[in-house]
Amino acid sequence: MVRIAVCDDSETELQKITALAEEYLSSHGAAGEIRGFSHPDLLMKACETENYHIYLLDIVMPMLSGLELGREIRRRSVDAQIIYITTEPGFALDAYAVNPLHYLLKPIQKDALFSALELAMKKAERGAETAVTIRTKDCLRTLSADEIICCEYIRHSVVYTLADGRRVETLSLRESFFEHIAPLLRDRRFLQPHAAFAVNMCHVCRLDKTGFTMRGGAFVPVSG
């Protein structure tokens, strides 16, 4: 299921873009969830615990511009599909610093938005393939790469720290830790800086010679 975030400080534009995105999903029989945000701070707060595949962003907004918002989104996710929708064509060059998928001008045209969403959906589907399925004491569970901040190998089990603050522990592994995290390491966002850890670089807040400080406060050491 694709998840789409729409951010525009104009309530009229927010409703219009959201309605068009809903129409696109309905007309294409696509499963999806669309959430609208009237202020960039609200979207950034939501991004602390939620992941979106596609972002439809205005550029000229209060406090935090769409360009700054796009840079923060791109820092967190290299695979996010960003589409700018704005009245200001002069920002196009600056916008491409965050590698947006498209740059559309208002008043938004239905055909143009649908074309951009079609491309974004295809890219999001290809980018959403990385996941690990783990066995916990309660059930089998699939974790997407987007929600994993880091994981640690402890006494033959792996403890995953997730973006929403939860920690999920596997049962005792039958394979090695390296074999267990192999699907993650094939994703360019992930790095194994230590024999017992893997980190999602999109969630790194700080790096020094001793290790990584992750979003949420977790610390991952670097092998000496």
Side-chain angles (χ1 to χ4, degrees), residues 94-118:
D94 292 334
Y96 276 88
V98 299
N99 191 28
L101 180 67
H102 225 304
Y103 188 98
L104 304 176
L105 292 178
K106 296 178 182 178
I108 189 66
Q109 301 298 311
K110 175 179 173 179
D111 289 346
L113 180 59
F114 277 27
S115 178
L117 283 173
E118 182 174 3

Side-chain angles (χ1 to χ4, degrees), residues 4-70:
I4 301 173
V6 184
C7 188
D8 198 306
D9 63 312
S10 165
E11 188 62 33
T12 300
E13 291 294 328
L14 180 61
Q15 292 179 4
K16 180 179 180 180
I17 295 168
T18 300
L20 285 173
E22 290 173 344
E23 182 181 343
Y24 172 85
L25 293 180
S26 177
S27 65
H28 287 72
E33 175 186 341
I34 302 171
R35 186 174 175 189
F37 300 87
S38 59
H39 195 288
D41 286 350
L42 297 176
L43 175 53
M44 290 315 306
K45 181 66 175 177
C47 285
E48 293 178 3
T49 57
E50 301 173 11
N51 298 302
Y52 297 92
H53 304 102
I54 301 171
Y55 295 83
L56 306 177
L57 307 178
D58 187 17
I59 286 185
V60 181
M61 293 187 289
M63 303 300 290
L64 186 69
S65 75
L67 298 177
E68 295 170 309
L69 181 59

Side-chain angles (χ1 to χ4, degrees), residues 125-186:
E125 288 170 359
R126 290 197 297 268
E129 295 176 354
T130 302
V132 291
T133 299
I134 63 173
R135 185 182 296 276
T136 71
K137 65 179 181 179
D138 299 315
C139 63
L140 279 175
R141 178 171 177 176
T142 298
L143 304 176
S144 72
D146 287 341
E147 66 180 318
I148 299 171
I149 288 181
C150 61
C151 60
E152 180 182 2
Y153 184 60
I154 305 175
R155 294 187 296 275
H156 305 292
S157 297
V158 179
V159 177
Y160 285 86
T161 299
L162 306 183
D164 61 6
R166 289 178 295 170
R167 288 165 60 87
V168 179
E169 184 174 353
T170 71
L171 295 179
S172 182
L173 298 185
R174 295 181 179 178
E175 72 273 24
S176 69
F177 178 59
F178 181 77
E179 290 171 327
H180 178 78
I181 63 171
L184 294 179
L185 296 181
R186 288 194 290 269

